[in-house]
Amino acid sequence: MPATLILRRAPQGGEKSFDSAAIGLPNEARLIRKAEAAGVPVPRVVRVLEDSDDVGEGFFMTQIMGETIARRILRNDEFAAARDALPEQCGKALAGIHSIQLAGDPELKESSGLDQLSYYEDIYKSTGGCRPIFDLAMVWLRENAPAPLEPVLVHGDFRLGNIMVDEAGLAAVLDWELCHLGDPREDIAWMCTNSWRFGHTDKRLGGFGDVEPLLTAYERAGGQRLTARDIDWWEILGSMKWGVMCMLMYESFRSGADPSVERAAIGRRVSETELDLINLLEEQSHA
Amino acid sequence: MHDQPSVSELVQAVKNFVDETAMPQLEGRAGFHARVASNVLATILRDLEARTDNDEQEKTRLLRLLKNEAVSEDLSELNSQLQEKIRSGDFGIDSVPLMEHLKKTAIAQLKVDQPNYSALATALKE
């Protein structure tokens, strides 16, 4: 029986992705192939669409069975063993991703922690919003930025929702569109950001585990030695980023670009990250 | 103006319609948006209930925090002033009164916006 294939495609002349940082589907396909060669669990890219296909950009990949919906992964009994295995598996996968040498193929933009701070700070200021917790977080982040590490290939959206999980754990890393060159701590911290713990806030890593086993597995698989505290600054950056992204999605309602109730409602999720930021900054003030 | 039914009652009536009549008949994206709409109507009801008190308490705290430097009694102007003082470094995370004010403000806002969000339990536990 032929295997089922998944087509990931952008319609011709279709709308641009919400995030202008998206690298485009042909580049995604290249990165997924490199990730497979580096031993990262990914779907196999079977064929990349070409101009002569005349159906726009995209690629066919093998279907990986499993679950992406975070709440099911965190709650359902059939994923209990997966939850135990995921911290180490994610550490190993990230070490693999971060080891990939691109040598300019594809050419990706570099974005450090401070670059991202400036990027989101500019967006926040452009909305004209006055939410002093964000100002406090941005000032603190700028004053306390750690020295950057040697840039590596960063996945950019590594969290529950963007990984395929089966009963044994990590089945595939998906959604490569926000890849860039940057700091390896960004990927580890994004999965720790409270917005991506989906309510299971006592488990720092994605709502399913602790970050320490991830860091141990990361180092054992060739990544550098990092401590849980090395992730703190990046986790605060992560909450700030998600808050500003929510503001931006609400802006698309306010400007009239997207009149949906969902885009309006997401503006009332900014306060989630405000309280996360205050909780985190309070910890820093006691540190 | 008369208020029978009141604004809250009217919103509740629309929410009843969305929950009991519209949502069960909708599927896919429309069903998802109906659920979002129902949540929005619940937010409106909490906002109507809490805004006056929350704004009053926030203003009182801001006036206490900014002391005799407060430029106004208008909430948004006071917040702009606080924003400037944070930006200029007059207030940082080592200011206990600032952190207390911001936390209370964030808690009050979140109780209206997303009362089930996990950080609320974390903040209230402390």
Side-chain angles (χ1 to χ4, degrees), chain A residues 1-247:
Chain A
M1 195 182 94
T4 304
L5 294 182
I6 304 290
L7 171 60
R8 183 156 161 77
R9 185 176 80 94
Q12 275 169 310
E15 79 252 51
K16 254 180 83 94
S17 165
F18 152 68
D19 198 317
S20 59
I23 58 173
L25 295 175
N27 283 338
E28 261 186 67
R30 272 188 207 109
L31 289 169
I32 293 170
R33 282 175 166 162
K34 286 184 187 237
E36 185 185 9
V40 179
V42 285
R44 170 160 295 159
V45 174
V46 176
R47 187 170 175 281
V48 180
L49 293 174
E50 288 166 24
D51 287 348
S52 57
D53 293 317
D54 202 28
V55 284
E57 290 188 339
F59 55 88
F60 289 96
M61 55 185 167
T62 55
Q63 182 183 33
I64 308 276
M65 302 308 287
E67 182 59 78
T68 59
I69 295 173
R71 287 182 193 281
R72 290 189 194 151
I73 295 166
L74 292 177
R75 265 180 214 166
N76 291 9
D77 289 343
E78 70 260 34
F79 296 113
R83 290 192 289 270
D84 289 342
L86 271 175
E88 278 185 38
Q89 293 169 335
C90 289
K92 188 161 174 274
L94 282 178
I97 294 169
H98 295 169
S99 76
I100 295 170
Q101 299 295 319
L102 293 178
D105 177 33
E107 198 78 58
L108 293 184
K109 121 181 135 55
E110 187 173 333
S111 173
S112 68
L114 281 174
D115 290 338
Q116 292 179 30
L117 174 58
S118 297
Y119 177 78
Y120 287 98
E121 194 165 5
D122 286 347
I123 293 172
Y124 167 64
K125 286 181 173 167
S126 74
T127 67
C130 176
R131 306 193 70 135
I133 291 171
F134 280 89
D135 295 280
L136 185 69
M138 288 166 183
V139 169
W140 185 88
L141 284 165
R142 194 165 295 285
E143 286 176 353
N144 293 278
L149 297 176
E150 192 63 34
V152 296
L153 173 66
V154 169
H155 178 277
D157 206 2
F158 190 83
R159 61 170 177 84
L160 286 190
N162 293 336
I163 59 175
M164 184 67 78
V165 173
D166 63 20
E167 291 180 10
L170 182 64
V173 180
L174 309 172
D175 293 298
W176 293 74
E177 66 197 37
L178 297 180
C179 272
H180 57 271
L181 300 175
D183 197 298
R185 291 167 293 189
E186 179 191 337
D187 271 340
I188 299 168
W190 189 234
M191 190 171 245
C192 293
T193 301
N194 194 37
S195 306
W196 309 129
R197 294 183 211 167
F198 299 92
H200 298 249
T201 193
D202 54 321
K203 298 216 166 72
R204 188 181 187 191
L205 184 66
F208 56 80
D210 295 319
V211 73
E212 286 83 357
L214 179 148
L215 296 173
T216 305
Y218 182 77
E219 189 186 350
R220 203 182 306 130
Q224 53 192 295
R225 175 188 293 262
L226 295 167
T227 68
R229 293 211 53 185
D230 292 330
I231 306 304
D232 291 356
W233 186 88
W234 295 85
E235 189 183 326
I236 296 173
L237 181 77
S239 282
M240 182 280 285
K241 278 165 61 174
W242 177 239
V244 174
M245 286 183 214
C246 290
M247 292 181 201

